[in-house]
Amino acid sequence: MQTIPSLPEISPQELKQRLDENQAVFLLDVREQSEYDIVHLEDAKLIPLNTLPHNIDSLPTDQEIVVYCHHGQRSFYATAYLQQNGYTDAKNLTGGIDQWAAEIDPTLKRYS
């Protein structure tokens, strides 16, 4: 039986530390435009999950990519896709923007 390799993940706390230290992190939001309009992380690039294959060439190959969605499910698939296509420095944000809002920035709007 084949085991599924785990995908690299980053916690909201780890991401906040990197951003606070001005490390080069490319934030990729794979939700839909309507969700992005409600709330998003500053400087995040919106590429909805279903359009990612058409836009993969617009992603940087020379820096860490942190992928996020609402709760982490879509970004999990996006991170797997990026890993399979050579973006070995792509990581899934654990818990998505909802966990980020709960643990890091409670001023952000949350939705269900």
Side-chain angles (χ1 to χ4, degrees), residues 91-107:
K91 294 181 177 70
N92 184 22
L93 178 62
T94 309
I97 196 164
D98 194 63
Q99 190 169 332
W100 175 274
E103 296 180 7
I104 304 297
D105 188 353
T107 65

Side-chain angles (χ1 to χ4, degrees), residues 10-20 25 27 39-42 66 68-71 93-110:
I10 185 169
S11 72
Q13 292 80 8
E14 289 173 295
L15 176 58
K16 181 177 185 340
Q17 183 177 358
R18 290 187 190 172
L19 295 174
D20 287 348
V25 176
L27 297 171
V39 62
H40 59 270
L41 298 179
E42 191 177 348
V66 173
Y68 75 91
C69 62
H70 190 200
H71 289 116
L93 178 62
T94 309
I97 196 164
D98 194 63
Q99 190 169 332
W100 175 274
E103 296 180 7
I104 304 297
D105 188 353
T107 65
L108 290 181
K109 192 169 188 178
R110 296 174 74 186

Side-chain angles (χ1 to χ4, degrees), residues 31-39 46 111:
R31 298 172 302 148
E32 296 299 316
Q33 181 73 53
S34 59
E35 295 173 280
Y36 184 87
D37 290 343
I38 294 169
V39 62
L46 175 67
Y111 65 99

Side-chain angles (χ1 to χ4, degrees), residues 2-8 49 52-53 56-57 59 61 65 67 74-91:
Q2 187 179 6
T3 58
I4 298 169
S6 64
L7 285 174
L49 180 59
L52 187 57
I56 194 166
D57 292 339
L59 299 176
T61 55
I65 299 174
V67 188
R74 285 172 283 178
S75 56
F76 177 87
Y77 292 119
T79 303
Y81 179 79
L82 292 173
Q83 289 278 334
Q84 290 165 358
N85 284 277
Y87 289 84
T88 54
D89 215 7
K91 294 181 177 70

